[in-house]
Amino acid sequence: MRHRPLRDGPWGNLPSEPGRFIGRGAELAELGRLLESSRLVTVTGVGGVGKSRLVLAAAWSAAEAARGARGARGTLAGRAARERYGDGVFLAEAAAVRDPALLELTVSEALGLTDHTTRTPRTVLAEHLAGRRLLLVLDGFEQVVDESAALVRELLRRCPGLRVLAAGRRPLALDGELVLPLAPPVPEEALALLAARAGAADPGFAVTAANREALAEVCARLDGIPLALELAAARLRTLSPAQLLARLEDRFALLTGGARGALPRHRTLRTAIGWSHELCTPAQRLLWARLSVFAGRFDLDAAEYVCAGPDLPVEDVLDLVGELQEQSLLVREETADGVRLRMLETVRVYGAGWLESLGDARRLRRRHRDWYLGLATSCELDWFSPRQQEVAALVETELANLRLALECCLDEPDEVHLGQYLAGTLWFYWAGCGRLTEGRHWLDRALEPTGRAVTEYESSRLKALWVLGYVAALQGDAAASLGALYECRDAAAQSGNPLASAYAVHRLGCLALVSDDMGRARELLGSALEQYRAVGELNSNVLMCQVELGMALAFQGELAGALTLCREVREICEERGERWTKAYALYVLAYAALDAGDAQEARRLLDECVAINHAFDDLVGLVLALELLALVTVAEGDPAEAALLQGAAEPMWAGVGLQLFGSGYFNAPRLMCRERAGELLGAERYEAYAAEGRELSREALVGRARRSPGERGRAARVSRQAGRGGGPAVVGVRRAGWAREREDPPPPGGDGGSTSQ
């Protein structure tokens, strides 16, 4: 899940401000002092001691001070915080990361980064953070501690404005790291926490003179560990404090043995969780153990499918989930895709141990895998429907579990075909939602040589191959793309799979398109369309093939044919509720409108195009639309705004693959806008506006781009200042030389006005 941003602009991705934070005043103040004196601070402590809540509270405090809220504006503390965290405070949650290779992607996602190139996520992170001043909060890194240490070391070395606040059960062990060991709250704070949690569970609960001593002893018996106190508080609905203490003492006498050599508080927490486990009914214990197979958040439907069986009827799962929630063993959360459930990591690990002891872990992991295979399949079908935006949000929410399902498939030699199928089925997410790097990771893994014959599962392998070819082409990796697509095409011909052949030919045509080989692109894309129609295939991919053919025609000046193709795509998309492919059709239609001198119609089309691409985080579509829109803005007589938009789009090219970056056709609007706006403004003024644009966040840029000329109210003034007329600066992009055949396309990197790769 992507957390809601802070209220007042691009200050980070912190979740909604935490509720009442009980106690920990001294620790919070000490944490603030440590962050002032070191760029790396790690809060350590036993599971359940409150590390996550403390670092989140510290992060909120830093963000509020930097933003100047709560009276801090103008104060020395406020100015210092803005100096340290002027570019925001971001939370990266690593607890659900199982594959170390995904750690860097998790941090990138937390920072809202989208990159379509073959650069490593670490390189992208370092380049993004190099000139920024922000606080990165890394929570729950225990399972990938070595990788976390290596990543933090390099980022701190390369990014002088970065500070890191980490939370885990052990330090990162890096030079310069300051460690704050977090002990349980002092007795008064522990009692206040127990009382608050008990009051939340039972509004009639209160600490009185009669029960204070028993409650204080409960806190002492639990060593004041917040998670243990929360588990105990749930029992105060049915037990008096004295009864709770008596039962707790009995269980501790029986269970305090724990693991030999374990720290006392580790034993205490395990005993407290074990006591909660003992107090559960057999059905509750069974569900607890089975729910441990989920990574991160999950919904009730998934829980019912994965966990139900002859010994746990599906109709009982809902009530049992509610009972585990009442005991603080499950947490309910709101996400972009509705209500989800989550187990605290310490509770999940305890349940996983029981599942292993029952000998049922492998079967449950396969049930989990099957559910998410089904989820991905239904999402692929729903992508070509009015639910497209919902599908994107659903996959985003379920990503941790989809990753776990991919791991399950690829870790079993006999089930690699399922991993190939799953990685291929998620093509719409990799390509349509800005996840090319992660998609490439899973597709490469799924297609690694195993020494096993692949003929039995040829269809799943073929799907993974054409999706790999598609993803690699969008990343600008032509060699990998060609290798995968040729293998797919040849194997499809040998095995008699016309659909896989159509996809391979289509993506070869796409690669030719972004490589400026328009003749070959037209041939391949036309052939793919014929093959799709022959087998009755119609979905977003087929429509995209038609749009790409329209692009090839438009770039060669055959606008009538391009308009026919893309108008048909727009009509089908509107009938089916498809938006992602529609955005690319709108791009071609806007191109044609601008070529005809109708800047107003081009702007109307591009406004919707920009909105859709931004919603899906499609960087390729967004940057192309923005640069065409900048050229439209020149045509409207506002070269200053065009320069600003052009400047804002320039940094985005660093995240677009090299093949696309070097295309003379796709890059023509940028070059033309720079030339024409530069003529109207002069080089110095053009650069000043472009520099202003480079400072805009993507959210701010999209908002700015979607303003109409009337809303801007700047065109006439700038035209007067430039000493030029206010009439259209560009009429007919084709007549300006955009669509002519280029005998010598520019090399990757353009004319020097582009961002260097």
Side-chain angles (χ1 to χ4, degrees):
M1 162 185 162
R2 286 185 178 172
H3 294 300
R4 294 189 298 276
L6 295 170
R7 293 186 293 272
D8 298 336
W11 284 92
N13 70 332
L14 299 183
S16 299
E17 189 168 10
R20 183 185 173 202
F21 188 61
I22 299 169
R24 298 295 198 190
E27 292 91 338
L28 194 57
E30 176 64 13
L31 193 51
R33 286 191 291 271
L34 293 176
L35 282 169
E36 290 177 5
S37 57
S38 176
R39 294 175 56 215
L40 172 60
V41 178
T42 303
V43 178
T44 62
V46 64
V49 80
K51 301 183 296 295
S52 295
R53 287 184 62 84
L54 180 65
V55 297
L56 184 57
W60 258 99
S61 178
E64 292 283 282
R67 192 169 52 189
R70 296 180 178 172
R73 189 179 300 279
T75 66
L76 182 61
R79 290 195 298 273
R82 284 193 295 280
E83 176 64 27
R84 285 193 295 271
Y85 313 129
D87 291 307
V89 180
F90 294 83
L91 170 65
E93 296 175 297
V97 176
R98 303 287 189 270
D99 183 347
L102 298 178
L103 173 67
E104 293 160 6
L105 279 172
T106 299
V107 177
S108 294
E109 292 156 14
L111 293 167
L113 299 183
T114 301
D115 185 78
H116 286 345
T117 72
T118 55
R119 295 180 301 169
T120 66
R122 184 174 298 191
T123 298
V124 174
L125 276 170
E127 291 181 2
H128 174 78
L129 294 172
R132 287 176 166 82
R133 297 166 293 116
L134 59 79
L135 177 64
L136 173 64
V137 181
L138 182 62
D139 186 23
F141 58 79
E142 291 90 355
Q143 296 179 99
V144 285
V145 62
D146 292 337
E147 293 76 15
S148 296
L151 175 61
V152 169
R153 180 192 297 112
E154 182 164 353
L155 292 181
L156 289 174
R157 180 178 61 83
R158 296 178 61 180
C159 310
L162 175 67
R163 289 173 185 257
V164 176
L165 173 58
R169 299 190 184 186
R170 52 184 287 193
L172 289 167
L174 297 176
D175 292 341
E177 178 183 24
L178 296 182
V179 178
L180 176 62
L182 188 62
V186 297
E188 294 79 8
E189 290 181 353
L191 179 58
L193 177 60
L194 177 63
R197 298 295 179 259
D202 178 8
F205 177 85
V207 178
T208 66
N211 66 21
R212 177 181 290 274
E213 184 177 348
L215 291 170
E217 185 59 24
V218 167
C219 294
R221 295 295 297 170
L222 294 174
D223 280 337
I225 297 173
L227 175 57
L229 295 176
E230 295 207 23
L231 296 174
R235 296 293 171 188
L236 287 171
R237 270 194 300 260
T238 53
L239 300 174
S240 71
Q243 289 172 321
L244 175 63
L245 177 61
R247 289 172 179 255
L248 188 62
E249 287 180 334
D250 289 344
R251 295 319 187 277
F252 267 53
L254 181 64
L255 299 173
T256 47
R260 289 185 179 178
L263 294 174
R265 283 173 182 145
H266 283 83
R267 293 201 303 268
T268 298
L269 179 60
R270 183 169 180 81
T271 301
I273 296 176
W275 178 65
S276 290
H277 189 264
E278 270 203 344
L279 294 177
C280 287
T281 65
Q284 290 170 353
R285 293 179 203 166
L286 187 58
L287 181 59
W288 178 352
R290 291 179 177 177
L291 289 174
S292 70
V293 299
F294 289 97
R297 301 161 181 88
F298 55 91
D299 65 10
L300 180 63
D301 289 341
E304 288 176 335
Y305 176 86
V306 173
C307 301
D311 49 355
L312 190 62
V314 67
E315 59 269 20
D316 292 351
V317 173
L318 174 59
D319 289 339
L320 291 168
V321 162
E323 292 162 11
L324 293 178
Q325 278 184 260
E326 290 175 356
Q327 299 176 62
S328 297
L329 295 167
L330 276 179
V331 179
R332 181 183 187 273
E333 293 185 351
E334 295 283 348
T335 74
D337 194 60
V339 174
R340 288 293 187 277
L341 301 164
R342 177 176 62 87
M343 272 188 174
L344 295 177
E345 185 63 14
T346 307
V347 175
R348 189 199 67 79
V349 170
Y350 190 94
W354 274 92
L355 189 64
E356 289 286 352
S357 69
L358 292 171
D360 207 20
R362 187 177 184 189
R363 184 184 71 85
L364 264 292
R365 282 194 289 269
R366 289 185 170 185
R367 292 278 292 179
H368 175 277
R369 174 207 66 197
D370 292 345
W371 172 263
Y372 287 99
L373 281 168
L375 179 74
T377 301
S378 65
C379 283
E380 183 186 29
L381 294 172
D382 282 346
W383 183 255
F384 188 49
S385 80
R387 293 193 64 242
Q388 201 168 53
Q389 194 73 49
E390 296 173 39
V391 166
L394 174 59
V395 177
E396 181 78 18
T397 299
E398 297 287 6
L399 185 57
N401 282 300
L402 287 165
R403 288 170 171 172
L404 194 59
L406 282 161
E407 287 281 359
C408 181
C409 296
L410 299 177
D411 284 346
E412 296 283 346
D414 292 339
E415 296 180 356
V416 169
H417 64 290
L418 295 177
Q420 293 169 348
Y421 171 81
L422 182 52
T425 296
L426 290 170
W427 68 265
F428 62 90
Y429 187 63
W430 312 139
C433 300
R435 295 282 190 165
L436 294 180
T437 303
E438 176 152 3
R440 181 71 182 270
H441 167 78
W442 291 114
L443 290 160
D444 282 340
R445 276 196 61 185
L447 291 166
E448 287 176 353
T450 62
R452 178 185 175 84
V454 298
T455 52
E456 183 180 354
Y457 309 118
E458 197 66 52
S459 62
S460 61
R461 180 175 177 82
L462 292 177
K463 186 168 191 174
L465 281 168
W466 74 252
V467 175
L468 174 59
Y470 181 21
V471 167
L474 292 177
Q475 289 185 304
D477 189 349
S481 179
L482 287 170
L485 293 173
Y486 281 140
E487 180 182 348
C488 179
R489 185 193 62 181
D490 295 345
Q494 293 173 8
S495 61
N497 190 327
L499 184 58
S501 175
Y503 278 109
V505 172
H506 172 191
R507 293 309 166 190
L508 286 167
C510 175
L511 185 60
L513 179 70
V514 299
S515 303
D516 282 353
D517 189 349
M518 293 303 147
R520 180 163 171 75
R522 290 176 60 171
E523 176 188 349
L524 291 168
L525 293 169
S527 174
L529 273 179
E530 291 177 2
Q531 293 180 56
Y532 282 139
R533 289 164 182 159
V535 297
E537 185 84 342
L538 179 62
N539 55 29
S540 297
N541 271 305
V542 176
L543 294 179
M544 187 66 81
C545 183
Q546 189 164 326
V547 171
E548 290 161 349
L549 180 57
M551 286 181 180
L553 293 175
F555 288 158
Q556 292 187 306
E558 298 181 30
L559 292 178
L563 283 170
T564 298
L565 289 169
C566 291
R567 283 171 177 163
E568 182 182 12
V569 169
R570 181 173 62 178
E571 290 174 5
I572 296 172
C573 286
E574 289 173 350
E575 289 173 2
R576 298 298 188 103
E578 211 281 356
R579 298 177 67 227
W580 175 63
T581 305
K582 180 185 176 183
Y584 285 86
L586 293 172
Y587 173 84
V588 179
L589 295 174
Y591 168 92
L594 186 57
D595 181 80
D598 192 348
Q600 184 177 1
E601 174 66 3
R603 173 171 289 279
R604 186 186 68 80
L605 293 164
L606 287 170
D607 179 73
E608 185 178 1
C609 180
V610 166
I612 294 172
N613 284 318
H614 181 54
F616 285 107
D617 209 14
D618 185 339
L619 187 60
V620 172
L622 181 60
V623 70
L624 290 175
L626 286 169
E627 293 202 326
L628 185 54
L629 189 57
L631 187 59
V632 169
T633 306
V634 175
E636 294 168 338
D638 192 350
E641 186 71 13
L644 184 143
L645 293 175
Q646 185 68 65
E650 281 179 15
M652 296 173 64
W653 280 110
V656 176
L658 288 172
Q659 287 290 332
L660 191 60
F661 191 76
S663 166
Y665 291 100
F666 283 104
N667 279 283
R670 173 174 59 88
L671 304 179
M672 290 182 63
C673 179
R674 182 182 180 89
E675 178 183 355
R676 188 59 176 141
E679 289 175 357
L680 292 169
L681 293 169
E684 184 176 347
R685 184 169 290 168
Y686 175 91
E687 180 54 35
Y689 283 114
E692 182 183 345
R694 293 185 195 106
E695 297 300 316
L696 292 177
S697 68
R698 194 175 302 170
E699 289 284 347
L701 168 60
V702 169
R704 182 101 180 209
R706 300 189 65 198
R707 294 192 305 179
S708 68
E711 291 173 316
R712 293 197 304 269
R714 291 176 52 179
R717 181 176 70 254
V718 173
S719 294
R720 287 194 299 271
Q721 291 172 349
R724 312 283 177 149
V730 177
V731 179
V733 291
R734 185 158 52 95
R735 289 187 290 279
W738 181 1
R740 69 175 181 269
E741 278 290 345
R742 303 178 65 103
E743 295 180 1
D744 211 3
D751 66 341
S754 59
T755 304
S756 172
Q757 289 275 42

